[in-house]
Amino acid sequence: MKTRITTLLLALFMSTMMGFAQQDEECMNNLSIFDSYVKSKKYDDAYGPWKIVREKCPKFNRAIYVHGEKILKHKIENSSGAEQVAHINDLMLLHDQSREHFESRYDLGDVLGDKAQLAYKYRKELTKSDDDVYNMFDEAFTKDLKNFNSPQGLYTYFSLMVDLYDAGKKKAQEMFDKYDDVIEKIETEIDANTVKLNRLLEKEEAGTALTKKEGQYKRQYEQYLEAFDKVTSSMDSKLGNRATCEVLIPLYQKDFEENKSNGVWLQRAMNRMYAKGCKEDPLFLKLVEQKNTIEPTADTSFYLYLLTDEQKYFDQTIKLQTDPLKKAKLYKKLAQELKGKGSYGKARQYYMQALKLNPSDGSPYIAIANMYAKSANNCGDTNFNKRAVFWLAALEAEKAGRVDGRLKSTAAKYAVSYRASAPSKQDIFSATNAGTTIKIGCWIQRSVTVPKN
């Protein structure tokens, strides 16, 4: 009896294994077929064999979901009406299935963000309201903030909030809070990519060539930083005059008593007032002093330094801020304030401090070049030497392009413009001083070599 049961179980096991083997063979064949079609961009031909593998062997290979997204996007873009909606919903389902069958390779924030972006793109076809799509993005943001890091997704999320505010469905404070939430997330992503990029730049500066893989990573980090910079700029444009001093001051005055013990509210309020140029209003000082009383930070010390010009607050700022990237931002803020007041020498000093802490941010070089150019008429003893300052400005601008991929185009334009204002070849020929060194005076105190050709 025991022998018969063992034989029966063995037969059943072998039968099951043969079934799996046959299924695997069919899936393998169809996988090979649709993979080849996708690589040739023959998405319509790939659809049939891909669908077979997806339905019969959903865990067989991740290509089902990687290639499946390309196939369905092609179908969506080349269909209309009910057929298009069916493909859109199928892609939504595919995103869910990718995480279901390959959870370790598909983060929740990514999946929910992709679905939300798809819903936004085809919201008319899916008859989804702004509320519907916003809630989809909000789910990604709240359930898996760490992995919801798409620049496009983050912008769309905030943009929908503004649209809902304009429609009277969200309050101003909700809109400002969401702006801060998204900006904080973007700053986290920027800092993470900047740290990685700086390590590679330090390696290059030390004279060690990057490996091929490191070069790819460098370009990737630069692309992310550029994308997040654009998102931040677009968010500010979208917010527009909804966040002017005329709007912010009454709002914060009204809510101050209720929130005067809320450190987060105070921090965000004073940061936004500073960013929007409202620091001259008495409310700004009131916010800063209150925040400094209940919870001193590097930001409150920095703002108090700007308001009082007392050195003790600047010393406190540097002491309280230990994060190199955040400290670099504070140095840059201070430099911008000094630049605006015409204190170019001190401004350059703090721009250089920012560069030491964050060498992949080329914007201080652009700012220094701009100060050189503006000082050209005051920092030379002859017309030739005054115009020679523009060579110095061009060299400084070019440094920005070398260290910061985001600024290559901008830096090149500045450099060309500055060189156009410098002495021409004819001027150099007439002065007979090619190759000589010119000492630039006043606050600049730098030298520049006259080009030989």
Side-chain angles (χ1 to χ4, degrees):
M1 183 71 173
K2 191 179 287 186
T3 304
R4 286 177 62 193
I5 292 174
T6 303
T7 303
L8 182 63
L9 288 172
L10 182 62
L12 181 62
F13 175 75
M14 291 300 292
S15 173
T16 303
M17 289 303 293
M18 286 178 66
F20 280 139
Q22 289 172 352
Q23 186 186 46
D24 284 356
E25 184 177 359
E26 181 182 12
C27 288
M28 179 61 79
N29 288 337
N30 280 291
L31 173 68
S32 178
I33 293 169
F34 84 69
D35 178 68
S36 177
Y37 280 136
V38 168
K39 287 176 179 175
S40 302
K41 298 186 178 181
K42 297 179 179 178
Y43 300 115
D44 288 324
D45 293 329
Y47 183 75
W50 166 74
K51 196 172 180 182
I52 291 171
V53 182
R54 178 190 180 187
E55 291 173 354
K56 288 194 172 185
C57 313
K59 296 179 182 290
F60 190 66
N61 192 293
R62 200 165 70 91
I64 297 167
Y65 306 98
V66 176
H67 287 345
E69 187 174 354
K70 298 174 186 174
I71 292 168
L72 286 176
K73 281 183 176 178
H74 170 81
K75 288 289 187 182
I76 292 168
E77 290 166 5
N78 291 276
S79 60
S80 59
E83 182 187 359
Q84 185 184 48
V85 171
H87 287 312
I88 295 168
N89 286 326
D90 198 23
L91 180 53
M92 292 279 189
L93 176 62
L94 186 75
H95 284 311
D96 289 332
Q97 291 173 336
S98 67
R99 180 164 167 78
E100 177 187 348
H101 299 301
F102 290 89
E103 186 174 351
S104 64
R105 304 297 296 273
Y106 290 90
D107 296 311
L108 180 62
D110 259 342
V111 169
L112 293 176
D114 286 344
K115 289 176 66 178
Q117 196 65 48
L118 182 65
Y120 176 76
K121 183 176 181 179
Y122 295 102
R123 58 196 181 281
K124 290 181 181 177
E125 290 79 1
L126 297 172
T127 62
K128 286 189 178 291
S129 66
D130 285 350
D131 282 293
D132 295 331
V133 184
Y134 175 83
N135 290 334
M136 290 179 73
F137 279 109
D138 196 51
E139 184 182 14
F141 195 84
T142 54
K143 285 190 174 180
D144 189 14
L145 178 60
K146 179 184 175 183
N147 294 302
F148 179 39
N149 48 25
S150 159
Q152 182 184 26
L154 288 166
Y155 173 73
T156 308
Y157 179 41
F158 174 70
S159 178
L160 284 166
M161 166 58 86
V162 177
D163 292 341
L164 290 171
Y165 166 77
D166 288 345
K169 296 181 178 181
K170 297 289 183 182
K171 296 178 181 178
Q173 190 61 59
E174 289 180 291
M175 177 177 63
F176 294 143
D177 285 343
K178 190 52 59 184
Y179 175 89
D180 290 326
D181 290 340
V182 176
I183 286 295
E184 285 172 11
K185 168 61 178 174
I186 288 172
E187 287 178 347
T188 298
E189 294 298 323
I190 287 175
D191 287 352
N193 282 279
T194 299
V195 168
K196 295 172 185 175
L197 179 59
N198 283 344
R199 289 197 195 109
L200 296 178
L201 287 176
E202 286 168 10
K203 183 176 178 179
E204 283 185 315
E205 288 294 318
T208 305
L210 300 181
T211 65
K212 184 178 179 181
K213 195 169 187 179
E214 286 174 332
Q216 292 172 341
Y217 280 138
K218 182 185 175 187
R219 287 189 292 276
Q220 178 183 312
Y221 301 147
E222 288 175 338
Q223 287 166 0
Y224 266 118
L225 290 173
E226 184 174 8
F228 283 122
D229 279 350
K230 287 179 180 177
V231 168
T232 302
S233 176
S234 297
M235 284 176 60
D236 286 334
S237 296
K238 180 80 177 183
L239 197 58
N241 58 12
R242 299 171 187 85
T244 60
C245 297
E246 290 74 16
V247 174
L248 295 174
I249 292 169
L251 176 68
Y252 294 145
Q253 283 176 332
K254 177 174 69 72
D255 295 341
F256 179 80
E257 285 300 319
E258 183 183 344
N259 292 283
K260 65 182 181 182
S261 298
N262 185 337
V264 173
W265 184 89
L266 290 167
Q267 180 78 40
R268 288 181 167 186
M270 66 183 192
N271 283 350
R272 191 173 299 109
M273 284 193 69
Y274 174 78
K276 293 299 178 180
C278 314
K279 63 180 184 292
E280 304 303 326
D281 191 90
L283 178 62
F284 179 70
L285 177 59
K286 185 178 179 180
L287 290 166
V288 173
E289 288 179 333
Q290 178 64 15
K291 179 63 166 62
N292 198 57
T293 299
I294 67 167
E295 193 178 83
T297 65
D299 284 324
T300 57
S301 299
F302 173 74
Y303 293 140
L304 285 170
Y305 174 68
L306 293 182
L307 292 166
T308 66
D309 204 29
E310 292 184 27
Q311 185 63 33
K312 65 177 182 179
Y313 289 122
F314 182 70
D315 295 338
Q316 188 180 15
T317 300
I318 301 307
K319 183 179 178 181
L320 288 172
Q321 186 53 266
T322 56
D323 182 276
L325 294 180
K326 288 183 172 62
K327 188 176 285 188
K329 289 175 186 175
L330 285 173
Y331 275 128
K332 199 162 80 164
K333 271 186 182 180
L334 180 57
Q336 287 165 345
E337 287 284 338
L338 291 166
K339 179 174 178 275
K341 294 175 181 177
S343 299
Y344 290 167
K346 283 187 177 180
R348 180 177 62 187
Q349 176 187 338
Y350 290 121
Y351 277 129
M352 296 305 294
Q353 290 286 349
L355 283 164
K356 285 179 183 178
L357 293 166
N358 185 11
S360 63
D361 178 9
S363 62
Y365 286 123
I366 296 289
I368 294 170
N370 179 258
M371 291 191 296
Y372 286 165
K374 284 187 175 180
S375 302
N377 202 45
N378 302 317
C379 294
D381 53 355
T382 66
N383 183 57
F384 187 98
N385 288 356
K386 287 177 180 180
R387 292 172 61 201
V389 175
F390 287 104
W391 282 321
L392 198 62
L395 291 170
E396 205 71 17
E398 286 166 348
K399 290 178 187 176
R402 285 199 295 273
V403 303
D404 193 336
R406 296 165 291 176
L407 293 175
K408 277 185 180 177
S409 176
T410 301
K413 288 177 182 176
Y414 274 119
V416 169
S417 173
Y418 293 144
R419 290 189 190 283
S421 298
S424 66
K425 290 183 179 180
Q426 182 59 46
D427 294 329
I428 297 170
F429 178 78
S430 299
T432 64
N433 61 354
T436 61
T437 299
I438 295 175
K439 172 84 173 173
I440 307 298
C442 66
W443 72 270
I444 295 178
Q445 293 301 308
R446 295 287 189 270
S447 298
V448 65
T449 302
V450 179
K452 290 184 178 180
N453 49 50

